[in-house]
Amino acid sequence: MRQPRALPRLFGSLLLVAAAGIAAIGAGPAPDRSVPDPSASTPRPLGQIVPAPASVSPGGAPYTLTPWTRIRVDQHSREAQQIGTYLAGVLRPSTGYALPLTDGPAPGGIRLRLSADERALGDEGYRLQSSPAGLTLTARKPAGLFHAVQTLRQLLPAAVEKDARQRGPWQVAGGTVTDTPRYAYRGAMLDVSRHFFTVDQVKLYIDQLALYKINKLHLHLSDDQGWRIAIDSWPRLATYGGSTQVGGGPGGYYTKAQYKEILGYAASRYLEVVPEIDMPGHTNAALASYAQLNCNGVAPPLYTGTDVGFSSLCVPKALTYDFVDDVLRELAALTPGKYLHIGGDEAHSTSHADYVAFMDKVQPIVAKYGKTVVGWHQLTGATPAKGALAQYWGLDDTSAEEKAQVARAARNGTGLILSPADRIYLDMKYNKDTPLGLDWAGFVEVRRAYDWDPGGYLPGAPASAVAGVEAPLWSETISTSDHIEFMAFPRVVGVAELGWSAASTHDWEAYRVRLAAQGPRMEALGIDFYRSPQVPWRSG
Ligand code: TNX
């Protein structure tokens, strides 16, 4: 994780960045085929970013940041101002430049423009234009402007990410990048239940995900081992149910104020938080906190192991739905986003009839509080509510019947979030020697995580049903930020690309080269990524 760094070997890292720029991107609509001069100061080609951009037209001389550069935000938009401030915050420590924000003319400056007329840029698209006269970032919505800033970061030398002053030059190749995402849902999930992660740890992960244009953070807030969000009407859920974790550590929970802090931080990085309360299984922490929730009226002990499938809310009991209503009401009131995730996986201690009855009662509660249901794909074995999203976590060898059940729901209007466990479960080991993680879905190397197409993934499911992709990180074996980083990076970068980039850009050989160029950047950011032998890293 990020630590203050000593002054780096400047010359070496510049050479590395330039070398990384040599390979052009693959089969994009307008691939950048220019072969740069491999001298240390050559800016990287515009297409050398992750996720691959929709279109690139290189041309002209580069833009150069100078000590006199201003950041001009010419719109009376508070959000655009905040994005300008964020950009300055990224650039100031390493360049050492003042980079004042201005709303007046700024010749030669960086200009942030919001323009309602730019329909083709949609909700998240942007254009980046670079020439010696200036650098202009244009978007229709603030999210697009924020993504443009991430592209700009990646076009500058990796040393720009360091938190102490570095030597320039700070150049961006000349030309235009015009970019929009393939999918609106590009997520990562963090399991804060099996091990608790602090507000600061979650913020760090948010920053790391934002760099690659991930726009959803799914928080798995409850499970057998811990309940992690304060619920005023059932206070023991957090104070008792949150008091331990896997292995018996102290656990923890977010107060509502802390949770709002996470939400605010995520929003400032244009991520929507999707909170999950897993039900009716995975509920031991709740059952342990309130005896009356149990069918037999007896509270089980807190649980610190890693088994799944042994707990269930009491489906026939009326009190169960008062409980669920209270929890979802309070959670919905906290949630600015559209979705409430109600889990629904591995309910092995709930009969099928009970499962269906439970989901029939609980989904309308989500709707009553103005939210849209997300559930793990087992929800398709009940009757998914109108507009619901099912999160598919099967494997290549999941049974044909189970896949068909999900595909049928997709044909009937249930949207899909694809999280195939043997592709993008970030808690799967990379190989047999990976010290962290599980292997029940097999080993997942970097290529395997990237090299599949969400559009055609599930047989019989229309491509139009795919809302996007999400990479879950379950935390049975994960307890520090270093662990998060090692398991997520670089696989989550590939997931970000699958979510953002057009299928036509999909090409492992080209991707691995662009990914390699992220090595020095992740190092500069202090991200402890896995140096997969499949990737031609150029880091030193
Ligand atoms: C399955 S995937 C689970 C989780 C575990 C995970 C470990 C899913 C919806 N449920 O309860 O943490 O495997 O990989």
Side-chain angles (χ1 to χ4, degrees):
M1 59 189 284
R2 187 169 188 127
Q3 283 150 4
R5 303 235 145 197
L7 263 191
R9 296 132 300 175
L10 256 184
F11 185 64
S13 56
L14 283 174
L15 263 185
L16 293 171
V17 170
I22 288 174
I25 64 160
D32 181 353
R33 302 210 183 282
S34 60
V35 179
D37 171 357
S39 78
S41 62
T42 302
R44 74 178 48 216
L46 290 179
Q48 280 290 315
I49 59 171
V50 188
S55 109
V56 172
S57 36
Y63 170 76
T64 307
L65 269 177
T66 74
W68 303 278
T69 298
R70 289 162 179 264
I71 297 176
R72 170 179 165 191
V73 184
D74 63 352
Q75 223 67 27
H76 296 286
S77 154
R78 201 167 58 91
E79 282 188 88
Q81 295 281 350
Q82 285 165 345
I83 294 165
T85 304
Y86 166 90
L87 172 61
V90 172
L91 301 179
R92 279 178 190 145
S94 51
T95 62
Y97 303 159
L99 302 171
L101 259 65
T102 164
D103 57 4
I110 300 176
R111 185 173 172 204
L112 271 53
R113 277 183 71 222
L114 278 177
S115 168
D117 304 338
E118 298 276 359
R119 293 255 180 81
L121 297 179
D123 289 341
E124 294 193 284
Y126 67 90
R127 186 180 314 109
L128 178 149
Q129 293 159 289
S130 165
S131 78
L135 191 103
T136 302
L137 310 181
T138 305
R140 196 171 72 94
K141 293 277 179 69
L145 218 40
F146 184 80
H147 297 322
V149 164
Q150 305 312 320
T151 292
L152 170 56
R153 286 170 75 173
Q154 289 195 24
L155 291 174
L156 287 163
V160 81
E161 305 296 349
K162 302 213 178 192
D163 49 20
R165 191 170 177 161
Q166 311 292 308
R167 199 171 309 159
W170 306 106
Q171 292 194 313
V172 177
T176 300
V177 177
T178 308
D179 203 7
T180 51
R182 179 180 187 186
Y183 293 115
Y185 195 113
R186 305 181 305 279
M189 186 207 83
L190 183 62
D191 172 6
V192 296
S193 179
R194 270 52 176 272
H195 280 98
F196 181 66
F197 294 93
T198 64
V199 171
D200 283 346
Q201 288 176 307
V202 177
K203 285 181 176 176
L204 179 63
Y205 196 38
I206 288 171
D207 273 332
Q208 294 164 346
L209 296 169
L211 177 57
Y212 297 103
K213 304 186 175 83
I214 293 278
N215 70 350
K216 303 280 185 269
L217 177 67
H218 167 184
L219 288 176
H220 185 74
L221 290 169
S222 70
D223 212 303
D224 293 317
Q225 297 87 345
W227 185 285
R228 307 300 181 201
I229 177 80
I231 299 293
D232 299 335
S233 51
W234 297 75
R236 270 174 64 83
L237 290 170
T239 57
Y240 182 71
S243 66
T244 192
Q245 60 187 0
V246 166
Y253 65 90
Y254 308 120
T255 64
K256 286 191 173 176
Q258 289 172 326
Y259 188 70
K260 285 181 189 162
E261 195 180 329
I262 293 174
L263 294 173
Y265 198 81
S268 75
R269 271 70 177 149
Y270 294 87
L271 277 86
E272 172 180 344
V273 173
V274 179
E276 177 186 355
I277 299 296
D278 201 349
M279 331 179 247
H282 290 278
T283 44
N284 188 76
L287 296 167
S289 303
Y290 289 97
Q292 63 269 37
L293 289 176
N294 295 270
C295 282
N296 65 1
V298 179
L302 292 169
Y303 182 70
T304 61
T306 58
D307 287 348
V308 297
F310 60 87
S311 57
S312 179
L313 290 175
C314 186
V315 173
K317 232 181 192 174
L319 181 71
T320 296
Y321 305 95
D322 296 340
F323 165 77
V324 172
D325 193 292
D326 287 338
V327 169
L328 294 183
R329 184 185 66 253
E330 292 193 33
L331 195 59
L334 281 171
T335 302
K338 180 173 176 198
Y339 302 108
L340 292 187
H341 199 309
I342 56 173
D345 59 313
E346 298 174 321
H348 305 320
S349 302
T350 317
S351 71
H352 179 67
D354 273 2
Y355 183 85
V356 172
F358 181 82
M359 288 303 179
D360 282 351
K361 284 195 169 165
V362 166
Q363 292 182 95
I365 301 175
V366 174
K368 179 170 84 171
Y369 294 120
K371 301 297 177 188
T372 298
V373 168
V374 187
W376 297 104
H377 77 255
Q378 281 70 21
L379 178 64
T380 61
T383 313
K386 197 160 178 291
L389 296 181
Q391 183 167 8
Y392 181 75
W393 60 283
L395 322 174
D396 281 356
D397 61 8
T398 289
S399 73
E401 301 90 277
E402 193 168 336
K403 287 180 181 164
Q405 173 190 295
V406 180
R408 205 175 314 121
R411 289 195 299 275
N412 289 333
T414 298
L416 298 179
I417 300 168
L418 296 177
S419 303
D422 55 352
R423 294 282 180 181
I424 58 173
Y425 260 32
L426 300 177
D427 62 319
M428 290 301 121
K429 290 175 181 290
Y430 293 97
N431 58 52
K432 69 175 178 22
D433 298 321
T434 307
L436 302 165
L438 308 175
D439 61 7
W440 63 264
F443 300 130
V444 180
E445 250 293 357
V446 174
R447 177 170 188 166
R448 191 167 168 79
Y450 166 82
D451 214 356
W452 60 285
D453 176 24
Y457 179 74
L458 196 69
S464 59
V466 178
V469 290
E470 183 180 294
L473 180 51
W474 300 100
S475 63
E476 286 94 334
T477 66
I478 308 297
S479 58
T480 69
S481 285
D482 282 347
H483 293 168
I484 293 176
E485 290 166 12
F486 185 78
M487 297 307 275
F489 292 89
R491 290 182 292 198
V492 78
V493 180
V495 177
E497 171 137 330
L498 290 178
W500 181 278
S501 305
S504 60
T505 66
H506 195 99
D507 176 359
W508 164 252
E509 293 303 330
Y511 172 70
R512 66 201 277 267
V513 173
R514 278 182 296 111
L515 178 58
Q518 296 301 309
R521 190 165 305 273
M522 291 190 281
E523 278 175 8
L525 285 165
I527 298 176
D528 276 329
F529 63 99
Y530 163 63
R531 271 107 177 137
S532 166
Q534 299 183 326
V535 179
W537 302 109
R538 288 161 162 88
S539 56

